[in-house]
Amino acid sequence: MLPRSMIDSFKTYARPVFAATVIALTVSACSDDEVGDVSLGLFTTKDIKIQIFNDPEVPGVTCHISHVKADLDFSDPSDMGISCRQTGEITDEMIANVDRSKSGEVVFTASKSILFKSMKIRRIFDSKNQTLMYLSYSTKETQGSHKHSLSTVPLWGTKAWKAPTDVQ
């Protein structure tokens, strides 16, 4: 049998850890941006979550991100998918505020584990083809690969579209 002091010590530390775990699971399950949740099976703690991301600079673009969430695991898998579409007006003023560098800018970040892994979405503007590109990727190499996925939103048919000037 365990000494009384050891049992009391366990109770002292176990309650806050248990409470924090319950709160974290409750908060993650009630995310406003979560629109889908698919279980990967009865005997696993992993689910596929589908989240909405609305571009803060270009609110006429909505992305749906799918990724595996492992609630009781130290590390979430790195696989993810992204699909972005025009869901509202896109204007020239919105595109004027978009980073024009080849590396674009990070517009979304989510932690994927306590081990310094995160999922990021980077917006890159292809001015030649008048297209917004959204690249989702993992910041930690997994099995020799940095997992990533790409989706594009062409500006054709929007108020922001400009005819290419260097047509050959």
Side-chain angles (χ1 to χ4, degrees):
M1 180 136 184
L2 293 173
R4 181 79 180 157
S5 62
M6 189 178 267
I7 293 171
D8 290 341
S9 177
F10 176 76
K11 286 180 181 179
T12 302
Y13 293 109
R15 285 184 183 145
V17 170
F18 178 74
T21 303
V22 169
I23 290 169
L25 291 174
T26 303
V27 170
S28 69
C30 298
S31 176
D32 288 341
D33 62 349
E34 186 179 300
V35 295
D37 185 354
V38 178
S39 173
L40 291 176
L42 186 61
F43 299 107
T44 180
T45 60
K46 295 179 173 81
D47 295 328
I48 296 174
K49 303 288 185 175
I50 303 171
Q51 291 179 269
I52 292 175
F53 165 72
N54 293 304
D55 189 324
E57 291 289 332
V58 189
V61 173
T62 301
C63 297
H64 290 88
I65 310 152
S66 64
H67 59 98
V68 175
K69 178 86 172 151
D71 282 331
L72 299 174
D73 206 334
F74 285 108
S75 177
D76 280 347
S78 297
D79 290 334
M80 80 248 349
I82 187 169
S83 181
C84 301
R85 298 291 182 267
Q86 179 187 352
T87 56
E89 187 173 66
I90 300 175
T91 65
D92 194 34
E93 292 80 23
M94 293 173 192
I95 300 303
N97 293 326
V98 169
D99 185 323
R100 303 290 176 131
S101 67
K102 284 204 179 260
S103 62
E105 67 181 304
V106 174
V107 292
F108 177 84
T109 302
S111 176
K112 292 297 287 171
S113 78
I114 60 171
L115 303 173
F116 309 109
K117 179 172 45 172
S118 63
M119 174 180 64
K120 293 186 178 187
I121 298 176
R122 188 173 284 273
R123 180 196 332 104
I124 302 169
F125 183 59
D126 175 359
S127 60
K128 181 178 179 184
N129 295 296
Q130 294 289 291
T131 301
L132 293 168
M133 299 181 294
Y134 292 86
L135 175 69
S136 66
Y137 60 97
S138 169
T139 59
K140 190 170 183 182
E141 187 175 327
T142 304
Q143 297 174 343
S145 174
H146 285 277
K147 305 292 184 174
H148 64 280
S149 184
L150 177 71
S151 186
T152 61
V153 178
L155 298 181
W156 173 254
T158 71
K159 293 179 179 180
W161 188 79
K162 293 181 178 162
T165 56
D166 61 338
V167 177
Q168 298 175 354

